[in-house]
Structure formats: C-alpha cells, structure tokens
Amino acid sequence: MSFQDEMKQMFLQVAAGKVEPQEWKKWWDSNKEKLEKNLTRGDRMRIMPTQWHADYAWMTKTQSGVAYYFHAQGRPVKTSPSYEEKARQEEARRIQRAMEQYHMDTASARRKWEEYLAKRPADSSLLPWKNFHWKSLLGTPPGQEPAKAFDYQKARTTEQWKACKEELKFRLKENLQAKIAPAAKAYGMKKAGSQTFVREKNGLVSRIQFIGYFRGGGYEAIICCLCPIYALEYGSLGLPGHVSQGESFQKMQEDWGVIEYAGEAVDAARVARINRKFDDILTYLAGDVLPEWQKIDSLETYFARERLDYLKAAEKAPLHPKTGRPMWNPEDKPDPWRADDYLFGVWNLLSGEEREGYKRLEDCARHNAAWAENRLKERPAAYNDPREPIAVMYHNARLFLRTKEIMDGQSRREAIRETYEEVCRFMRYYHGLAKKTERA
C-alpha cells in the first residue's frame, strides 16, 4: 500500500470518528515529511492547526479539515458526530472539575456563613416556600390555548407585526401567570404591576421584574434584586457568582430573543420554545435565586461579616477550560455611582458607626453632585421619580448628611432614625411596594 493510500484510509477513519486523539497525533508526527509532500500547505493547516492539542474538540477541527480535503478531491464523505459529542462530554467534565475547585477554594468562607445561619432561629414564614414543589410547573402550562396558524414566518407589514406582537404578549402573560407568579407567591411576594413581584420583610425588599415591552415587543431582560428598602437595586451586595451568573443563569440567557422579539410568527414551534424558556427562567429563580434569598431574613443578616466574606470569596469566577476566560463576569470594576458608599454609609449610621457612615455618604454625594444638581435643574422633581435613581440616591444621601450638623449625640441619633423612616417611606414607592409618594 502506498503512503497516499494509507493517508486516505486514515483520513476516512477520522471522518468516521474512529481515531483517538493520541493515536492521531502519533500517526501525524511519525509521517510529517510524507504528509508535507502529499498535502498542500492549506490542507495541512486545516487538518492539523498550529495550536492543535490531543483532545476531542481539536479532533472535530481535524475532521472538518479532512472533510474539506475529500470534498476538494471530488469525493465528499459523511462525517460522524461522535467527536462533537465526546468534545461536549469532555468539556462538561473539565467545567465540573473547575467548579469543584472553585467550591473548594470558597469552602472556608461558605462554612462560616452556614454556621452563622445555623445559629439563627427558624423562620416560620418560610413554610409555604419550603413546601412549594416548583418543578411541577415545568412544561406546557395547564390549559394552554392551542397555537395559532400563521400563513407567514416573518412579519412584513405593520398588521403582521402587530399580530405577532399581540400573540407574543399573550404567550408571555400565559407563562408568567402559570410559572413565575406561583413561585413568587410561595416566596411571599405580591404583584406590583403586570410584570413585577415584590416583598418587604424586616427592612429588606425582594423584587423580580421583567423589563418590556419596548423595542422588541416582549421582555428585554429580567431584574432580580434583594436589598435594604432604603437602597437602590445597584451595587455589589447580591448573590454568589455561581448563583447569580452560573449554569442556570447562562442557560436562561440562551435564545432569550424568543421572548423578546415579535418579528416572527408565534406558531406552535415558537410557543413550545417560549414554554421552554420560561422553564429556564423558573429554574433560575426557584432553583437558585429564591433559595439563596430566603437565607437573608433581616438587615443584620444582609450585612453580616460572614456573608460579606463569602460573597467576596465567591466573586472570582473559575476560568472556562475551553476559552480561558472567567465563567462569569466578576464584579471587579469600580462602582460608577458610588451606590455602595450610600448602601454601607446608611447602614453604618444605623449601626452607630457615624464617622465611617458620614464619610461614605459624603463620598457618594460628592461623586454624584454635578450630575444630580444639573438634572434637578432640568427636572426639579427628579428626586421623587423612580425613573431617576441617581437623583433619588443623591437626595437620600443629602438627607442623611444633614443630621451630621446636630451636635447633641442623642438628638442626632433620633434624627438619623427619623430620616431613615422618611427615606424608607418614599423608597417603598420606588420599589413598587406602595402607591405614589411625594416628599418635600
């Protein structure tokens, strides 16, 4: 058998997915000179790229190069999907090992946080949530109306786009009521508008909000927020990285356009995709977010040192074995609004740490002063508008800073408490917990 025949036989074995990565590398390395004579430089680079490593992901590239080689020879070959499947399995194993290492690295901080929680008394108000079987809601919503039949796939006219939009909105509402609303209710939330669920408990507010309908016709995003009532939904104190942006979150983000854009017919196939996307959203909320939120039952727990340390330890994401980049976006950028200075500054005042609290609030107010004051000149009532979060935060910070001028300690502490109550009264409206509230 000539080498060219041997080479083609090996290529056919690769196309069939029957050659292991190490076996392929060994054969290629032992025949480099002959391969250079029998293959063009382009074929060699397609079949054996420069950065090639002995794994199944790279074997899929080799297989693609082999298929191109036979196609150019005028004899196309069918390729086996086995390398792609093995590459997915290999990647999943590597991701699992990376996550196992991540959990080992954060184990000490997590253990201290869990020990802190174990010392706190059981909360009887969580019983409905503990008895809630959210997985029973997955799949097709009960009594879902049959999908409409459309005589077009993409909307071309204004009338078609309007019909697609109305049907999309109907299917979103259908799934929201069947899957998200029961989970929110079991957690103790109430509806604040058609797309928002909120809960107030012990000085904390929880909010799940679907953003839309705007440019795309559907839901553009989802906001999940747990914070003190006096605070904004911005800042660093959220959830551990593997919860807020982990596997469930990333799966939820995939194919998000199916519930965002109304430019295609919402037929049976589209309705099924919408149902599956809400399954992903429910899995993220009920499987990851809400169980983590239920651990935080008060301001003291929210600001507990054990929790802060755990969040800090869980902030750095492990590197993805395929890309070498963090598996999720770490919060390593400076806080652009100084929202954390406001968040911690108020808590410092409430905890009696006035020196640190006033310093943080001064930093927050100083940083936002130019923007906020210009905005208030344009819209004097901006600090009363939930759509103007920077103006609201700046005004709140200034209210707390006024108490610094009170010389008597007891009177100052009373003023801080009164200011806190006044700010919370407005912020209940800001977060959707109360009807419109005006302040002087």
Side-chain angles (χ1 to χ4, degrees):
M1 178 187 295
S2 67
F3 176 75
Q4 194 170 55
D5 290 335
E6 178 190 342
M7 178 184 74
K8 290 181 179 180
Q9 285 298 318
M10 177 60 83
F11 285 1
L12 288 172
Q13 292 292 303
V14 169
K18 295 181 179 179
V19 182
E20 292 297 305
Q22 288 292 351
E23 180 186 358
W24 166 255
K25 185 176 187 304
K26 182 179 179 180
W27 180 84
W28 183 274
D29 290 344
S30 62
N31 293 285
K32 271 188 177 180
E33 292 183 4
K34 295 176 183 179
L35 289 162
E36 288 179 2
K37 294 177 181 180
N38 286 272
L39 295 173
T40 66
R41 184 174 184 275
D43 282 333
R44 293 198 306 273
M45 294 302 294
R46 279 187 288 269
I47 295 173
M48 201 67 169
T50 304
Q51 301 297 324
W52 197 92
H53 295 286
D55 59 35
Y56 291 110
W58 282 98
M59 283 303 294
T60 62
K61 299 182 186 298
T62 290
Q63 188 183 57
S64 177
V66 164
Y68 183 91
Y69 168 82
F70 282 118
H71 178 80
Q73 296 289 319
R75 49 172 298 192
V77 296
K78 185 178 181 179
T79 58
S80 168
S82 63
Y83 287 141
E84 291 185 359
E85 179 57 31
K86 288 179 179 178
R88 283 193 290 269
Q89 294 173 0
E90 195 172 55
E91 182 178 331
R93 288 193 296 270
R94 290 178 177 176
I95 289 175
Q96 183 179 1
R97 288 195 293 268
M99 288 303 300
E100 287 172 353
Q101 185 61 51
Y102 162 83
H103 287 300
M104 287 177 61
D105 294 340
T106 59
S108 176
R110 184 181 67 253
R111 184 171 57 256
K112 292 177 181 178
W113 166 229
E114 291 172 348
E115 290 172 353
Y116 171 88
L117 292 173
K119 297 175 183 177
R120 303 185 68 79
D123 188 350
S124 59
S125 68
L126 296 176
L127 191 60
W129 171 252
K130 291 179 179 178
N131 294 333
F132 177 64
H133 303 292
W134 62 269
K135 291 184 179 180
S136 64
L137 302 178
L138 298 174
T140 303
Q144 184 175 63
E145 293 191 16
K148 289 185 177 181
F150 289 77
D151 57 2
Y152 55 86
Q153 185 59 40
K154 290 187 178 294
R156 303 295 183 186
T157 66
T158 302
E159 290 74 17
Q160 290 176 347
W161 189 89
K162 183 178 179 180
C164 291
K165 180 180 177 181
E166 289 303 314
E167 185 66 8
L168 175 63
K169 290 171 66 175
F170 172 70
R171 298 302 176 177
L172 297 182
K173 182 178 180 180
E174 194 175 47
N175 271 273
L176 193 73
Q177 292 179 339
K179 297 178 181 179
I180 311 305
K185 183 179 180 181
Y187 181 69
M189 290 179 152
K190 66 177 183 179
K191 294 194 73 172
S194 60
Q195 300 149 208
T196 304
F197 304 90
V198 294
R199 184 184 82 163
E200 177 185 350
K201 183 179 179 182
N202 296 337
L204 295 171
V205 58
S206 312
R207 189 165 91 248
I208 297 172
Q209 180 179 8
F210 289 82
I211 304 298
Y213 317 90
F214 296 122
R215 295 180 294 275
Y219 296 147
E220 294 190 45
I222 180 175
I223 293 176
C224 301
C225 169
L226 172 67
C227 66
I229 293 174
Y230 67 78
L232 308 182
E233 64 270 30
Y234 308 97
S236 64
L237 274 192
L239 297 166
H242 64 279
V243 174
S244 62
Q245 298 186 57
E247 183 179 355
S248 295
F249 172 82
Q250 293 170 24
K251 185 177 181 182
M252 180 184 73
Q253 293 295 331
E254 294 174 0
D255 195 29
W256 184 271
V258 73
I259 64 171
E260 180 177 2
Y261 299 112
E264 295 182 358
V266 187
D267 53 16
R270 181 76 179 272
V271 171
R273 289 171 62 199
I274 292 171
N275 292 344
R276 289 195 296 270
K277 184 48 52 187
F278 271 90
D279 284 351
D280 295 339
I281 295 171
L282 177 62
T283 299
Y284 172 64
L285 293 175
D288 288 355
V289 174
L290 296 180
E292 196 71 25
W293 280 0
Q294 72 166 334
K295 300 174 184 177
I296 307 165
D297 58 359
S298 65
L299 288 174
E300 289 75 16
T301 306
Y302 187 87
F303 287 103
R305 174 51 55 189
E306 291 82 356
R307 176 172 129 83
L308 303 186
D309 289 345
Y310 177 49
L311 288 179
K312 187 65 178 177
E315 191 176 66
K316 187 176 180 181
L319 299 181
H320 195 288
K322 184 176 180 180
T323 65
R325 295 192 292 268
M327 289 190 192
W328 56 79
N329 297 322
E331 297 290 342
D332 57 357
K333 297 180 180 179
D335 175 14
W337 290 5
R338 299 298 193 273
D340 283 346
D341 282 331
Y342 170 69
L343 173 70
F344 283 98
V346 174
W347 176 244
N348 287 146
L349 292 188
L350 296 176
S351 303
E353 301 171 349
E354 295 183 8
R355 181 177 180 182
E356 182 66 20
Y358 284 126
K359 181 182 183 305
R360 282 173 160 164
L361 290 170
E362 285 168 352
D363 290 342
C364 173
R366 187 185 309 112
H367 179 78
N368 291 290
W371 186 95
E373 289 174 5
N374 285 333
R375 187 60 178 159
L376 289 170
K377 287 179 182 178
E378 296 172 2
R379 291 196 64 221
Y383 64 90
N384 274 334
D385 191 338
R387 296 170 297 179
E388 300 278 3
I390 298 180
V392 169
M393 181 178 67
Y394 173 77
H395 184 76
N396 290 351
R398 295 298 301 167
L399 289 177
F400 281 105
L401 284 171
R402 288 178 189 173
T403 64
K404 186 180 180 181
E405 301 170 1
I406 302 174
M407 300 305 296
D408 179 67
Q410 181 62 30
S411 299
R412 186 171 59 252
R413 286 187 288 274
E414 291 176 1
I416 290 172
R417 177 54 60 176
E418 291 172 359
T419 302
Y420 170 76
E421 296 296 341
E422 176 61 23
V423 166
C424 286
R425 187 179 70 86
F426 172 78
M427 294 303 288
R428 288 187 178 91
Y429 160 60
Y430 177 94
H431 290 297
L433 290 160
K435 294 182 179 180
K436 188 173 182 178
T437 303
E438 295 287 347
R439 53 184 178 180

